[in-house]
Amino acid sequence: MESVTPPAPPATSDSGMDDTALDDALRALAGVTERVMADHAESERLLERLSEEDNRLLEERAGAGWPPGCGWPDPARALSSFRQEQALSAAHRHRAAAREFAAWWADVAASATVATLFGLRLHPVRAAAADPESWMSDENLRRLPAISRHERNLAELTLWLGRPAPGDAGPAGGRRPAAELGLTFRAGADGRQVLAEDGRPEARRRRLWGRCWLDHQVPLLPETGELVESLTMRDVPRTTVSAIREASSALDAALAAKAGADRLSRQIDQRGLPETPEQSAELESLWDHADRIPALLAAYARTLTDHLPAVRAARAG
């Protein structure tokens, strides 16, 4: 597994990251993401093992004629059930972490590639923006891409229509549009709630990636065709272009599968009837494909990270 030595900080707060600092950050992200994904896989294996043990206990009790339910004290089964519940909770958190870290790595790798193509430097605050475990100050939030004035005005209008009294938390309906933009509520000078930029990780992800994150839990990435065209126009080696096209297209296919599963699930719910065998089989196939998104995000990030030197060399040429 790769080293996760922290990258060197930028020389000044206003400087973009030089090639060395950017490569160090990407290597660190690669190592950490792979570790988190390995932890997720281990948590799934533990959950499966504990589930099998719990089922075996139930079968043994049934075979021995134990009364069902809580008809007899069974400390061993109580412990088994508790451990299974804890493992399930841990597996869910590890799964979310794997998705969040893979999204962060993919976001930085894609941003670095695009910046390199256009001869720009990625700012360290932008590279840290999708960190899933940190809070960001107001000063650094101002360095991120601005929230659309039009969308902010709509959120403010929603707040105004249901403006709460001083000390009131505010209506849920008025908070949702703001939260989806990465905004939060703070008490103003008069005690009323006002909109402010939110420094928490989930708010920053929503601000950066919008509906891509809200709907599919993936970052907003360059469109495959446009990225390939930009790489080709700058005479990036064909092997690099082909590898990036393949990784990006694989991710596109998984996202299409998730969108298809979401669409079919809505159609089934609207009908109000049980799934047909055909629909069940199609949903299972689509979700199996969609479940690969975190791994495909990491593979995409790995591809861009590995081929960034080739993109850099072509841009210099």
Side-chain angles (χ1 to χ4, degrees), residues 60-125:
E60 290 174 357
R61 268 51 174 174
W66 283 46
C70 289
W72 193 261
D74 190 354
R77 173 73 211 296
L79 175 60
S80 174
S81 180
F82 167 75
R83 295 180 68 197
Q84 185 180 0
E85 290 175 1
Q86 292 295 103
L88 178 61
S89 177
H92 285 165
R93 182 65 192 101
H94 276 98
R95 181 186 180 117
R99 183 174 58 245
E100 291 165 1
F101 275 89
W104 183 18
W105 183 17
D107 176 67
V108 176
S111 298
T113 300
V114 172
T116 300
L117 282 172
F118 289 92
L120 304 173
R121 284 190 173 190
L122 187 64
H123 196 281
V125 170

Side-chain angles (χ1 to χ4, degrees), residues 61-242:
R61 268 51 174 174
W66 283 46
C70 289
W72 193 261
D74 190 354
R77 173 73 211 296
L79 175 60
S80 174
S81 180
F82 167 75
R83 295 180 68 197
Q84 185 180 0
E85 290 175 1
Q86 292 295 103
L88 178 61
S89 177
H92 285 165
R93 182 65 192 101
H94 276 98
R95 181 186 180 117
R99 183 174 58 245
E100 291 165 1
F101 275 89
W104 183 18
W105 183 17
D107 176 67
V108 176
S111 298
T113 300
V114 172
T116 300
L117 282 172
F118 289 92
L120 304 173
R121 284 190 173 190
L122 187 64
H123 196 281
V125 170
R126 179 61 184 84
D131 181 341
E133 298 295 332
S134 72
W135 175 83
M136 185 168 281
S137 68
D138 289 345
E139 178 184 359
N140 284 333
L141 284 172
R142 286 192 288 271
R143 297 179 181 273
L144 299 183
I147 297 172
S148 161
R149 171 48 58 184
H150 172 69
E151 292 181 320
R152 187 172 186 130
N153 286 343
L154 288 177
E156 289 175 343
L157 176 61
T158 305
L159 173 64
W160 181 82
L161 289 173
R163 186 172 292 279
D168 191 353
R175 302 174 79 85
R176 181 175 177 180
E180 290 183 350
L181 295 174
L183 296 169
T184 188
F185 291 86
R186 293 179 184 169
D190 61 355
R192 292 185 177 275
Q193 300 289 311
V194 296
L195 285 178
E197 295 182 1
D198 194 336
R200 291 173 295 182
E202 177 62 17
R204 301 196 310 267
R205 287 189 290 260
R206 293 178 177 190
R207 171 178 179 161
L208 291 171
W209 306 330
R211 298 310 313 182
C212 285
W213 181 256
L214 287 166
D215 295 341
H216 305 300
Q217 300 286 281
V218 297
L220 180 62
L221 300 171
E223 194 274 330
T224 299
E226 294 178 355
L227 180 58
V228 167
E229 182 180 1
S230 295
L231 292 166
T232 303
M233 288 175 60
R234 285 161 179 78
D235 294 326
V236 173
R238 290 183 180 180
T239 53
T240 291
V241 177
S242 178

